[in-house]
Amino acid sequence: MPLLEARMTIQELEVQIKHLDALEKTRLYYRLIFDLSQTWPGIEKSPGICGGDARIVRTRIPVWALENFRRLGSTDAELLENYPTLVPTDLINAWAYVATHRDEVESAIQENELWQPESTRRLLTTNRWPESWFA
């Protein structure tokens, strides 16, 4: 029986939970907390800041940007090095948000790729500044 069946009883769900590993149980725990509270620790949205997109608290770093860098091959360690204001918990919160808001994040990535000049896209994918910027 699938874990996300629409009318699963608590008893059926308890049986399924027993088969999850520790990481999956942790993700399930966070998902339930976030769904019930409708808040995301460490993530906020404010009109007028980052276009209202979800961002890391106390920063102007949108979650979609972090996810885009991760898709391009950046590791958590590289992200923390390149964004010195971030702490590991910020990335944990960002990845949890991405996991439960995939359509929103995907849409933001696509919207922001549309207006990026080619040289910026090259920087994001190659991690090199275009030579023309220094001419």
Side-chain angles (χ1 to χ4, degrees):
M1 178 179 299
L3 181 61
L4 299 177
E5 187 173 299
R7 294 185 180 244
M8 186 177 284
T9 67
I10 294 294
Q11 293 80 13
E12 292 168 326
L13 185 58
E14 288 172 346
V15 170
Q16 294 295 321
I17 291 172
K18 289 179 184 177
H19 297 290
L20 300 177
D21 65 27
L23 179 59
E24 291 170 323
K25 287 178 182 178
T26 302
R27 290 180 63 196
L28 176 60
Y29 169 78
Y30 276 102
R31 175 66 187 258
L32 289 171
I33 296 298
F34 299 147
D35 282 354
L36 291 171
S37 68
Q38 294 299 305
T39 60
W40 290 88
I43 307 293
E44 61 187 11
K45 292 181 178 181
S46 305
I49 301 176
C50 296
D53 289 334
R55 64 185 171 82
I56 305 298
V57 294
R58 71 183 191 289
T59 76
R60 290 180 176 260
I61 303 170
V63 171
W64 68 261
L66 294 171
E67 173 61 10
N68 198 34
F69 280 121
R70 183 167 70 159
R71 290 179 185 185
L72 294 170
S74 294
T75 65
D76 286 3
E78 290 169 332
L79 290 170
L80 292 171
E81 181 179 331
N82 290 314
Y83 290 96
T85 59
L86 295 181
V87 295
T89 303
D90 293 328
L91 295 180
I92 292 169
N93 293 334
W95 306 150
Y97 188 88
V98 168
T100 56
H101 294 81
R102 290 196 187 282
D103 291 341
E104 173 190 328
V105 172
E106 184 62 38
S107 177
I109 289 171
Q110 289 178 5
E111 287 174 22
N112 284 282
E113 284 181 344
L114 291 177
W115 63 263
Q116 287 178 354
E118 181 59 34
S119 56
T120 303
R121 253 180 270 158
R122 194 169 349 114
L123 166 65
L124 294 175
T125 57
T126 64
N127 224 9
R128 290 192 55 220
W129 296 100
E131 296 297 323
S132 62
W133 288 9
F134 300 103

